[in-house]
Amino acid sequence: MGHKWASGFLPFSDLKLAAQLLVLLVLLCSSLSQSLDLDPEDKASMLKFRSGVQDPSQSLSSWAGSSCANWTGITCQNQTGRVVSIDLTNMNLSGQIDPSLCKLPFLQDLFLSQNNFSCPIPVCLGTLSFLRTLHLGHNRFRGVVPDTFMRLGQLKELVLNGNNDLGGVIPWWVGNFSAQLEKLDVGFNSFHGEIPQSLLYLKSLKYLDLGNNNLSGSLSDFHQSLVFLNLGSNQFSGTLPCFSTCEQSLRVLNLANNSVVGGIPTCIASLQALQHLNLSSNQLTYEMSPRLVFSEKLLLLDLSNNELSGPLPSKVAETTDKSGLVLLDLSHNRFSGEIPLKITELKSLQALFLSHNLLVGEIPARIGNLTYLQVIDLSHNSLSGSIPLNIVGCFQLLALILNNNNLSGEIQPELDALDSLKILDISNNKISGEIPLTLAGCKSLEIVDFSSNNLSGTLSDAITKWSNLRYLSLARNEFAGNLPSWLFTFEVIRMMDFSGNKFSGFIPEGNFNMSINFNNGEVDRMQRDPFVSMQNVDTKVLIVVTGSIELSFSYILSSMVGIDFSNNVLIGEVPVGLFGLHGLEYLNLSHNFLHGGVPDLEKMWSLKALDLSHNALSGHIPGNISSLPDLTHLDLSYNSFSGFVTKKQGYKRFPGAFAGNPNLCLESPDGGCDPASLPVVPGKAFEGEEEVEGRISVWVFCVSAFLSFYFGGLALFCSPRARKYILHTKA
């Protein structure tokens, strides 16, 4: 018997009508759902909870009436009106959590993160037996995790991070209470003790963040398929386990800032899914095995601040045309030898940090093949040769940091091709020649340090094109000629150091009001901490690595706002305008041939350090300086000042500041003249203090900084001398 096939298709007009009816039905159901009334008991509980909460932003003002849809952050069960989800994230709520919140028997998800609740975690939350998600992070909860939480057998996510006063030992039951727990985040709290053994065997666990606590004990292996593991910034010791159970799953591993010892086992490279690995700031030693080669999935590798030695690994990760390392940080170790050419094959690399090692040889010419490279830091090594011309192939370069090496040669005019460059530091090398005029093409420059080289010539007009300049140091070179009239035309300059050169002529009058920072002093300085004004010269860059990962760099150099023209051959009078800069924190004009008088300093509200010593300045000492409470260093020695300095003028706290001024007299205890209090032997004016080069230089660079990178909510730290990088990824 034959089969007959009947068509199931409707004519187009009928099909269109059916579709319209379906949309109408969906809208009708949605409308019924939205108009669903809150269960009366749940409504009463929610209103009582609200009454105990401080809500300055009026985020909960919509909690009125009975329609569930109108209640901000509340989701109800479609048929019963029972509250199943509360999301009050980042609503600026504070105060106490009323126990009435626990009288919502069908609650499944509770989000209270990023508020200001300041109380112990309510014990009664343990009665919410249907709870699947509990986020209480970034509040001010205190005390310990309630033991009643062991009743939450349905819980999948427990997030308690960012509550500084929440601590104690991690509960013993944390790995047993819920066989469904996938995420546990207790980072940035005050937990101490060891990791409970039960947590090492919780099969359901995928995401574990215990970072930034005071946990200790020997590192143990985990026996579940973790995807994310952060144990950074604790006190763990022992050697690195292999994490073999996580071989196919682990994407993020952070063990930074602990006391892990020994070498890096080659089995770590077997983690095939690994994308982020941070082992920085531990006590890792020995050479890196040539068999330690990570998969092409690895994006970030930070081994900085350890005691790793031997040659740099010739190959650290597999690469493909579409994937490979984005960040490689091997800085602050004891690696020696030359930079291997294989590093120049990491075509995806955007940040390369090899600073503070024992590297020798030349910078590989093929470094220009890394066309995605945006940050290069090879500082504090013993590299020689010249800066390779092929480096212009890194056309996206934002930071080139080569200071403290043995580099020679000249600054190549072709460097103007790096027109995105924001940071250029070649200080403390042996680079000679002049500043090329073509560098005017580097219009994005913000931080430039050419100090301590053999550069010469006059100041190039190319500098005038660096309109975003914040920090400029040409100190300790062989520059000569007059200081140009455009010197004070940079609007955002914070620090200008031309000391230790052969500049001559007059200090130009200029428009001293151009710089925002030089004139950004505060009128009321009496109520401030004198060190609050220590701000940062910084450069920030945002990079999208892939669709899911964001990487940002921040280079921060902390220093006072200042001008240093010391140790030159400048003549003439000091422009009066220099002494009217409200925001200037230090001024060093010492060791020149300046003459004339010094006006009152009362307008220099921010002044912390002033050195006018070793000139030919004359006249009376500036008037009362008691209006400058932040002034902590003053040197007017070895000039030709004259007159009588009274105690009321406030100079008593600077003994020795007037040495070598034979015609100057300080008021003695009996009101007379005390010339004996003025030392005349050079170098004795600061007897009892530690002598430092230029004396004021200790104020010029009050620098402390650290290198770090963040991924997700994860912060990983290490610390070079005077620079700070922040690398931030968002998964």
Side-chain angles (χ1 to χ4, degrees):
M1 185 176 178
H3 294 278
K4 293 184 179 180
W5 293 89
S7 172
F9 292 101
L10 295 172
F12 178 76
S13 58
D14 293 341
L15 184 63
K16 186 176 180 181
L17 179 61
Q20 290 174 339
L21 289 172
L22 181 62
V23 170
L24 184 62
L25 183 62
V26 170
L27 290 174
L28 182 61
C29 291
S30 174
S31 175
L32 288 172
S33 175
Q34 289 179 359
S35 62
L36 189 69
D37 283 351
L38 266 168
D39 177 85
E41 292 183 5
D42 287 2
K43 178 181 177 181
S45 297
M46 297 298 298
L47 290 175
K48 190 173 182 183
F49 161 75
R50 187 184 69 174
S51 67
V53 170
Q54 297 173 22
D55 181 18
S57 303
Q58 295 295 302
S59 301
L60 307 183
S61 59
S62 64
W63 286 17
S66 297
S67 175
C68 182
N70 294 335
W71 284 49
T72 299
I74 304 301
T75 303
C76 298
Q77 203 173 49
N78 281 341
Q79 296 178 348
T80 63
R82 304 307 296 253
V83 174
V84 293
S85 177
I86 300 175
D87 187 353
L88 305 181
T89 303
N90 196 22
M91 290 191 178
N92 196 27
L93 305 176
S94 59
Q96 307 288 312
I97 295 180
D98 192 274
S100 60
L101 189 66
C102 305
K103 296 179 180 179
L104 302 170
F106 294 92
L107 189 64
Q108 298 176 12
D109 304 297
L110 177 59
F111 301 90
L112 299 179
S113 296
Q114 300 178 54
N115 285 291
N116 293 300
F117 290 112
S118 54
C119 58
I121 296 176
V123 174
C124 65
L125 290 178
T127 63
L128 298 171
S129 57
F130 288 102
L131 207 59
R132 299 177 307 184
T133 308
L134 179 58
H135 285 208
L136 303 178
H138 297 284
N139 279 281
R140 290 186 291 161
F141 288 111
R142 60 182 185 269
V144 298
V145 180
D147 284 340
T148 55
F149 277 20
M150 71 173 70
R151 303 175 192 166
L152 301 177
Q154 305 294 318
L155 204 63
K156 289 186 175 182
E157 294 187 10
L158 177 58
V159 177
L160 305 175
N161 64 313
N163 290 284
N164 293 334
D165 295 324
L166 184 66
V169 296
I170 297 178
W172 60 269
W173 45 261
V174 73
N176 296 328
F177 78 106
S178 173
Q180 300 183 49
L181 191 68
E182 296 180 0
K183 180 175 183 177
L184 176 62
D185 186 350
V186 296
F188 288 91
N189 288 305
S190 299
F191 290 100
H192 59 82
E194 299 187 7
I195 300 175
Q197 284 292 310
S198 61
L199 203 54
L200 305 178
Y201 294 90
L202 180 58
K203 294 299 182 182
S204 60
L205 196 62
K206 304 295 180 187
Y207 182 111
L208 178 60
D209 191 342
L210 306 179
N212 295 85
N213 282 283
N214 298 308
L215 299 170
S216 58
S218 185
L219 274 181
S220 300
D221 211 339
F222 286 77
H223 302 276
Q224 62 272 86
S225 299
L226 290 170
V227 174
F228 182 103
L229 177 60
N230 176 22
L231 304 180
S233 298
N234 281 287
Q235 300 169 25
F236 292 114
S237 57
T239 57
L240 281 172
C242 288
F243 301 102
S244 53
T245 310
C246 311
E247 190 172 288
Q248 301 300 321
S249 60
L250 194 61
R251 296 178 186 174
V252 173
L253 176 59
N254 173 27
L255 302 176
N257 286 294
N258 282 288
S259 299
V260 184
V261 298
I264 302 176
T266 55
C267 58
I268 289 288
S270 299
L271 300 173
Q272 294 300 307
L274 200 61
Q275 295 179 358
H276 300 179
L277 175 60
N278 190 346
L279 305 178
S280 65
S281 298
N282 279 286
Q283 299 169 24
L284 297 172
T285 53
Y286 307 122
E287 298 184 12
M288 290 178 64
S289 169
R291 293 186 292 118
L292 187 67
V293 179
F294 295 93
S295 81
E296 72 279 359
K297 293 181 181 178
L298 191 68
L299 299 175
L300 282 82
L301 176 61
D302 189 349
L303 305 179
S304 62
N305 284 275
N306 282 288
E307 292 293 329
L308 297 169
S309 58
L312 285 174
S314 59
K315 187 176 183 180
V316 292
E318 301 289 349
T319 59
T320 66
D321 292 337
K322 297 183 178 180
S323 63
L325 271 179
V326 171
L327 178 142
L328 176 61
D329 191 347
L330 303 178
S331 65
H332 291 263
N333 280 286
R334 299 186 61 80
F335 289 114
S336 56
E338 299 186 355
I339 299 174
L341 287 176
K342 283 282 188 181
I343 282 185
T344 63
E345 296 178 7
L346 299 171
K347 298 297 179 64
S348 301
L349 205 60
Q350 296 188 30
L352 175 62
F353 301 105
L354 301 178
S355 67
H356 293 83
N357 279 290
L358 305 171
L359 302 176
V360 297
E362 299 188 359
I363 301 172
R366 285 194 222 164
I367 200 167
N369 294 343
L370 302 177
T371 55
Y372 291 105
L373 206 55
Q374 303 195 28
V375 179
I376 301 175
D377 187 352
L378 308 179
S379 63
H380 293 272
N381 282 288
S382 297
L383 299 171
S384 56
S386 58
I387 301 172
L389 185 57
N390 284 356
I391 206 167
V392 299
C394 307
F395 61 92
Q396 300 187 58
L397 205 60
L398 303 169
L400 178 58
I401 304 162
L402 305 174
N403 58 290
N404 291 86
N405 280 288
N406 293 317
L407 299 173
S408 56
E410 298 187 356
I411 301 174
Q412 299 294 332
E414 290 81 2
L415 286 182
D416 69 327
L418 302 176
D419 55 3
S420 297
L421 200 63
K422 294 190 174 187
I423 303 160
L424 178 57
D425 188 347
I426 57 173
S427 61
N428 288 283
N429 281 288
K430 299 174 182 177
I431 296 171
S432 57
E434 300 186 6
I435 299 176
L437 281 171
T438 56
L439 283 194
C442 299
K443 295 181 180 180
S444 300
L445 279 171
E446 297 182 12
I447 299 174
V448 177
D449 194 344
F450 291 167
S451 63
S452 298
N453 279 287
N454 299 317
L455 295 167
S456 57
T458 58
L459 283 186
S460 170
D461 286 348
I463 298 175
T464 62
K465 303 299 182 181
W466 304 341
S467 57
N468 297 317
L469 201 60
R470 299 170 180 267
Y471 177 102
L472 175 62
S473 179
L474 306 178
R476 297 173 295 284
N477 279 286
E478 300 293 328
F479 290 108
N482 293 338
L483 295 176
S485 58
W486 46 257
L487 199 58
F488 299 105
T489 59
F490 301 101
E491 292 187 8
V492 292
I493 193 78
R494 285 183 53 84
M495 204 288 286
M496 186 182 295
D497 187 357
F498 294 171
S499 63
N501 284 284
K502 299 176 182 177
F503 289 115
S504 57
F506 301 93
I507 299 175
E509 285 286 346
N511 182 1
F512 296 109
N513 294 321
M514 286 294 291
S515 169
I516 297 171
N517 292 301
F518 287 172
N519 289 280
N520 195 27
E522 299 177 46
V523 177
D524 185 7
R525 307 284 295 177
M526 294 294 290
Q527 299 178 5
R528 294 195 314 109
D529 185 321
F531 294 99
V532 167
S533 66
M534 181 73 76
Q535 298 175 7
N536 296 318
V537 187
D538 63 350
T539 284
K540 298 179 181 177
V541 181
L542 184 65
I543 306 154
V544 176
V545 180
T546 68
S548 61
I549 297 175
E550 216 174 59
L551 182 64
S552 66
F553 303 90
S554 182
Y555 176 102
I556 300 178
L557 174 63
S558 299
S559 74
M560 288 193 289
V561 178
I563 297 172
D564 192 343
F565 294 160
S566 65
N567 288 281
N568 282 285
V569 286
L570 299 172
I571 60 173
E573 296 188 7
V574 182
V576 175
L578 270 181
F579 295 105
L581 298 176
H582 308 319
L584 204 64
E585 295 179 325
Y586 77 85
L587 176 62
N588 190 352
L589 305 178
S590 66
H591 293 272
N592 281 288
F593 297 93
L594 301 169
H595 61 80
V598 177
D600 286 343
L601 307 176
E602 58 186 11
K603 292 183 179 180
M604 303 184 77
W605 305 321
S606 306
L607 195 63
K608 295 181 178 180
L610 175 65
D611 192 344
L612 304 178
S613 67
H614 295 274
N615 280 287
L617 299 170
S618 59
H620 293 288
I621 293 294
N624 198 331
I625 61 165
S626 58
S627 61
L628 306 176
D630 294 347
L631 188 63
T632 54
H633 181 101
L634 177 67
D635 191 354
L636 304 178
S637 64
Y638 302 100
N639 280 285
S640 298
F641 289 115
S642 59
F644 186 70
V645 182
T646 67
K647 293 179 181 178
K648 292 181 180 180
Q649 288 178 268
Y651 288 101
K652 186 178 180 181
R653 66 182 191 270
F654 303 110
F658 307 110
N661 287 279
N663 296 322
L664 195 63
C665 188
L666 299 183
E667 183 181 4
S668 63
D670 60 3
C673 180
D674 187 8
S677 64
L678 300 176
V680 294
V681 181
K684 297 296 183 181
F686 287 80
E687 188 172 4
E689 296 183 21
E690 182 181 358
E691 290 293 329
V692 293
E693 182 182 353
R695 292 177 187 159
I696 200 173
S697 61
V698 68
W699 289 103
V700 175
F701 298 103
C702 289
V703 290
S704 68
F706 51 91
L707 166 63
S708 62
F709 69 80
Y710 298 82
F711 39 79
L714 179 63
L716 321 170
F717 300 96
C718 44
S719 42
R721 178 182 62 88
R723 274 82 179 164
K724 172 179 176 180
Y725 302 89
I726 298 176
L727 303 126
H728 181 208
T729 66
K730 295 179 181 177

